[in-house]
């Protein structure tokens, strides 16, 4: 092979030795990388609180508020708020930025690497925060800041999942990637705590403090990533096998000359060689089009994988969870039956945080499909109960405190069902389902799908539940819609999502080729890629050295 570099790579046919044992270092590396979820969660959480702050409402509407009595002046409490159009724009514009950020991030991650892309995202995010802070009643400047911040969050949210999936050990990959969702919930909780503390301030600090706290997350993640190693699979893709071996040694906590490192690296290289035969590299446009090649009927086609990843993120958003965390405070205010909406939002956020860690164990013990299917059933039941109670005994004119408590209780149970199943598993699936040649773009497209539907929900929801002219004023009836969409999400998971528990990223490729989603739970690997590609040591321990050509 002209121009190829010969690397002494050999692996094993022993399926039990294709990955090094799990060490504390692997947990700590992925745990820190999951910290990127703080960005996503915190930005989701603080906007909900700020939209309900009296000072912020006065700043953008001119409506007055009496801080001594805690009541608005000359308008009913239910009408004291931003117009639906402003809430829609200020909330959804972040998702618009993240959509484009996630798509761009895939290219940048392949060109510069996973770590530099996340660091760039932190810097872009900080620029957006500055624009948000220096705005007063300048809606254009505030919106522009949200847009720029969104691009940064898009970079981070797409590449963090990619990075974690590539460095996490297979036995705990689901649990560690679920840590990303836990950090999202933790970010929402921190945001609610900050907005709760500053909500009654009669100055710009009421909203500038929550925005300013975000700099801390950018500084911690950005500096920390200078210490973390690059993804070994990125180095393999670039043909830098020596650097891949070094990175793999760091993330596995094993010596560089360990047989575990040699065997796992040989497996990664062999899989990459195989995938490069199936997915030939062409032009820039062709590399994007590769994500949509193949038949939708074939489980291992790139098109099927892309639809699985993007569809998974779409269905996750259509469960309605971000309705609670984007507009929960203002929704509870409009109901007119809840005395302290900020506190109730804090309670729902706390439920979200405490429920997510259950997935750390369940995703590896029970598997991805079990959590998605039963979590979907739970969300359907609880959302319909909230809707039915809300339109009967829970109406404002009924003045039924017991019914209101029932609604809040089942909203919390619904959040539990999401946070322990669909929340974390949605991210786990997109990190696992793509082969290495298209992984960065596939994860980018899937994450962009998340933010696209996030944006759609942020745009339309204020009009669905708002009580201003031109809004539908659905109130609790909106939960009939979310419950119906959850039925669709459950059907999607049952028929289209395969079980990937306990498999390496390379074995997942084979599983999707050989079986269907509903039968995938019983699939077991029978050989290694190193054996298939002739990279196995002989009985005397001598390596079959073969060529590995770096990517041009």
């Amino acid at each position: 092979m002209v121009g190829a570099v010969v690397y002494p790579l050999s692996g094993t046919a022993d399926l039990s030795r294709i990955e090094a044992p799990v060490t504390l270092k692997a947990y700590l590396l992925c745990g820190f990388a999951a910290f990127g979820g703080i960005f996503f969660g915190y930005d989701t959480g603080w906007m909900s609180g700020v939209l309900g702050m009296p000072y912020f409402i006065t700043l953008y509407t001119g409506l007055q508020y009496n801080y001594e009595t805690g009541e608005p002046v000359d308008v009913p409490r239910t009408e004291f708020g931003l117009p639906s159009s402003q809430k829609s724009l200020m909330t959804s514009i972040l998702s618009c930025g993240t959509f484009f950020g996630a798509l761009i991030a895939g290219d940048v991650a392949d060109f510069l690497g996973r770590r530099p892309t996340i660091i760039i995202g932190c810097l872009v995010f900080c620029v957006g925060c500055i624009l948000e802070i220096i705005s007063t009643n300048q809606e254009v400047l505030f919106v522009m800041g949200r847009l720029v911040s969104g691009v940064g969050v898009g970079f981070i949210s797409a590449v963090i999942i990619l990075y974690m999936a590539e460095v996490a050990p297979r036995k705990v990959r689901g649990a560690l990637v679920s840590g990303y969702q836990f950090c999202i919930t933790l970010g929402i909780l921190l945001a609610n705590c900050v907005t709760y503390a500053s909500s009654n301030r009669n100055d710009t600090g009421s909203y500038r403090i929550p925005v300013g706290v975000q700099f801390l997350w950018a500084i911690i993640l950005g500096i920390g990533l200078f210490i973390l190693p690059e993804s070994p699979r990125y180095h393999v893709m670039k043909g830098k096998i020596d650097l891949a071996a070094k990175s793999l040694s760091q993330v596995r906590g094993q010596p560089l000359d360990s047989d575990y490192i040699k065997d796992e690296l040989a497996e990664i290289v062999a899989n990459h060689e195989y995938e490069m035969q199936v997915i030939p590299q062409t032009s820039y446009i062709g590399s994007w089009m590769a994500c949509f090649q193949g038949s939708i009927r074939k489980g291992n086609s790139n098109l099927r994988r892309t639809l699985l990843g993007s569809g998974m993120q779409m269905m996750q958003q259509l469960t309605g969870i971000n309705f609670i965390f984007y507009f929960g405070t203002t929704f509870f205010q409009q109901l007119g039956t809840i005395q302290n909406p900020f506190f109730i939002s804090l309670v729902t956020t706390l439920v979200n945080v405490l429920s997510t860690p259950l997935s750390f164990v369940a995703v590896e013990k029970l598997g991805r499909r079990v959590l998605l299917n039963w979590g979907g059933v739970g969300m359907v039941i609880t959302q319909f109960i909230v809707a039915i109670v809300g339109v009967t005994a829970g109406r404002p004119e009924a003045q039924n405190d017991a019914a209101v408590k029932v609604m809040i209780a089942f909203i919390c149970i619904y959040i539990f069902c999401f946070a322990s199943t669909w929340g974390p598993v949605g991210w786990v699936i997109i990190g696992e389902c793509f082969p290495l040649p298209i992984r960065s773009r596939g994860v980018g497209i899937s994450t962009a799908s998340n933010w696209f539907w996030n944006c759609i929900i942020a745009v339309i929801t204020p009009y669905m539940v708002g009580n201003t002219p031109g809004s539908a004023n659905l109130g609790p009836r909106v939960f009939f819609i979310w419950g119906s969409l959850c039925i669709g999400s459950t059907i999607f998971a049952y028929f289209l999502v395969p079980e990937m528990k306990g498999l390496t990223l390379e074995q997942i490729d084979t599983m999707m080729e050989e079986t269907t989603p509903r039968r995938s739970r019983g699939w077991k690997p029978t050989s290694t890629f190193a054996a298939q590609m002739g990279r196995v040591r002989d009985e005397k321990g001598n390596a079959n050295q073969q060529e590995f050509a770096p990517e041009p």
Side-chain angles (χ1 to χ4, degrees):
M1 187 179 292
V2 179
V5 180
V6 177
Y7 294 100
L9 283 173
S10 63
T12 177
D14 186 351
L15 289 166
S16 66
R17 290 187 58 84
I18 58 174
E19 190 172 85
V22 181
T23 63
L24 177 62
K25 189 171 185 178
Y27 283 111
L28 295 177
L29 283 171
C30 292
F32 183 81
F35 186 80
I38 292 284
F39 284 83
F40 186 164
Y42 189 89
D43 216 76
T44 299
W46 74 256
M47 197 62 203
S48 172
V50 165
L51 290 176
M53 287 181 176
Y55 184 87
F56 194 78
I57 293 171
T58 299
L59 193 66
Y60 282 93
T61 65
L63 299 174
Q64 297 302 307
Y65 188 83
N66 189 325
Y67 288 87
E68 293 182 359
T69 63
E71 294 289 338
V73 178
D74 297 331
V75 293
R77 177 187 286 269
T78 56
E79 296 179 12
F80 181 73
L82 295 173
S84 298
S85 57
Q86 272 187 313
K87 286 193 288 189
S88 174
L89 176 63
M90 289 180 175
T91 305
S92 63
I93 198 66
L94 175 92
S95 302
C96 180
T98 50
F99 171 79
F100 291 106
L103 288 178
I104 297 169
D107 280 337
V108 179
D110 274 355
F111 183 69
L112 296 178
R114 287 30 169 166
R115 287 169 57 247
T117 305
I118 299 171
I119 293 170
I120 291 171
C122 293
L123 295 174
V124 173
F125 179 79
C126 287
V127 173
C129 289
I130 292 171
L131 294 176
E132 290 171 334
I133 287 175
I134 63 176
S135 68
T136 50
N137 62 345
Q138 300 154 299
E139 184 174 355
V140 173
L141 188 58
F142 186 84
V143 167
M144 182 58 66
R146 293 277 290 168
L147 180 65
V148 174
S149 293
V151 174
V153 174
F155 269 54
I156 295 163
S157 61
V159 184
I160 281 286
I161 291 297
L162 176 63
Y163 180 80
M164 292 181 66
E166 290 187 340
V167 303
R170 58 172 173 161
K171 294 179 180 178
V172 292
R173 185 179 57 243
L176 291 176
V177 176
S178 295
Y180 177 76
Q181 175 66 21
F182 176 70
C183 285
I184 291 176
T185 66
L186 191 60
I188 296 173
L189 176 63
L190 292 171
N192 274 269
C193 291
V194 174
T195 55
Y196 184 70
S198 66
S199 60
N200 290 319
R201 289 178 65 104
N202 188 15
D203 55 35
T204 58
S206 59
Y207 70 91
R208 282 178 171 164
I209 290 173
V211 175
V213 169
Q214 295 178 109
F215 284 109
L216 181 61
W217 319 137
I219 292 169
I220 293 174
L221 184 63
I223 293 176
L225 279 164
F226 280 103
I227 303 171
L228 297 184
E230 182 55 88
S231 164
R233 286 176 169 87
Y234 167 74
H235 287 314
V236 167
M237 187 176 67
K238 291 298 185 182
K240 300 175 181 178
I241 306 303
D242 53 341
L243 293 178
K246 184 178 179 181
S247 290
L248 192 59
S249 173
Q250 289 177 294
V251 300
R252 295 292 181 258
Q254 298 284 339
L256 190 60
D257 58 354
S258 165
D259 284 343
Y260 281 115
I261 298 302
K262 294 176 184 177
D263 291 343
E264 184 172 356
L265 185 58
E267 183 74 0
I268 294 171
V269 170
N271 174 258
H272 183 59
E273 289 178 330
Y274 173 80
E275 294 293 351
M276 291 295 286
Q277 295 172 3
V278 178
I279 311 171
Q281 298 300 289
T282 55
S283 63
Y284 173 76
I285 299 298
S287 65
W288 274 101
M289 294 305 296
C291 296
F292 303 95
Q293 289 178 349
S295 169
I296 193 173
R297 300 174 68 89
K298 292 184 64 177
N300 70 322
S301 72
N302 290 348
L303 175 60
R304 179 72 172 265
R305 295 170 192 258
T306 301
L307 292 177
L308 170 62
S310 57
M312 189 73 213
Q313 291 296 300
M314 176 185 74
M315 292 301 178
Q316 186 197 62
Q317 289 301 304
L318 293 181
T319 60
I321 192 66
N322 278 335
F323 164 70
I324 298 294
F325 297 122
Y326 274 146
F327 303 107
T329 303
T330 54
F331 174 72
F332 294 142
Q333 288 173 336
Q334 291 171 358
L335 286 179
T337 56
I338 296 174
Q339 296 298 316
N340 194 337
F342 280 93
F343 179 73
I344 298 300
S345 293
L346 191 59
V347 170
T348 58
T349 306
L350 189 60
V351 171
N352 193 29
V353 172
L354 296 178
S355 303
T356 303
L358 295 175
S359 67
F360 296 176
V361 176
V363 74
E364 300 298 353
K365 294 294 184 181
L366 301 178
R368 283 66 163 157
R369 282 179 56 84
V370 170
L371 292 188
L372 291 175
N373 291 330
W374 286 106
V377 171
M379 288 190 292
V380 170
I381 294 171
T382 52
Q383 297 218 55
F384 278 119
I385 290 174
V386 172
I388 292 169
V389 173
V391 299
T392 54
R395 299 189 315 276
E397 56 270 23
Q399 296 292 312
N400 189 332
D401 290 340
V404 173
K405 291 176 181 177
V406 168
M407 290 174 63
I408 294 172
F410 275 95
I411 287 175
C412 290
I413 296 172
Y414 151 65
I415 293 171
F416 167 81
C417 293
F418 174 87
S420 57
T421 60
W422 274 82
V425 178
W427 296 109
V428 173
I429 294 297
I430 69 168
E432 295 178 331
C433 68
F434 295 101
L436 182 57
I438 66 165
R439 184 170 295 142
S440 63
R441 289 186 172 91
V443 173
I445 291 171
S446 301
T447 309
S449 172
N450 177 291
W451 290 111
F452 174 79
W453 290 100
N454 191 306
C455 181
I456 294 297
I457 289 172
V459 168
I460 66 174
T461 299
Y463 295 100
M464 292 168 65
V465 298
N467 53 12
T468 56
S471 298
N473 196 19
L474 292 177
R477 287 173 292 176
V478 74
F479 284 95
F480 282 121
I481 297 175
W482 303 134
S484 300
L485 291 172
C486 281
I487 295 175
S489 298
T490 307
I491 293 173
F492 176 90
Y494 181 77
F495 286 103
L496 297 177
V497 179
E499 182 55 71
M500 306 177 192
K501 175 174 72 76
L503 302 177
T504 67
L505 296 180
E506 289 70 38
Q507 289 170 344
I508 289 171
D509 293 342
T510 306
M511 179 271 292
M512 295 184 72
E513 183 176 352
E514 294 181 354
T515 190
T516 63
R518 284 187 290 170
R519 296 179 180 177
S520 58
R521 188 176 182 86
W523 184 88
K524 301 294 181 185
T526 56
S527 66
T528 66
F529 273 99
Q532 292 178 36
M533 303 302 291
R535 289 190 174 278
V536 180
R537 290 186 295 275
D538 60 27
E539 294 180 359
K540 297 180 180 179
N542 297 320
N544 294 324
Q545 297 183 5
Q546 296 189 7
E547 292 182 340
F548 178 77
E551 200 175 75

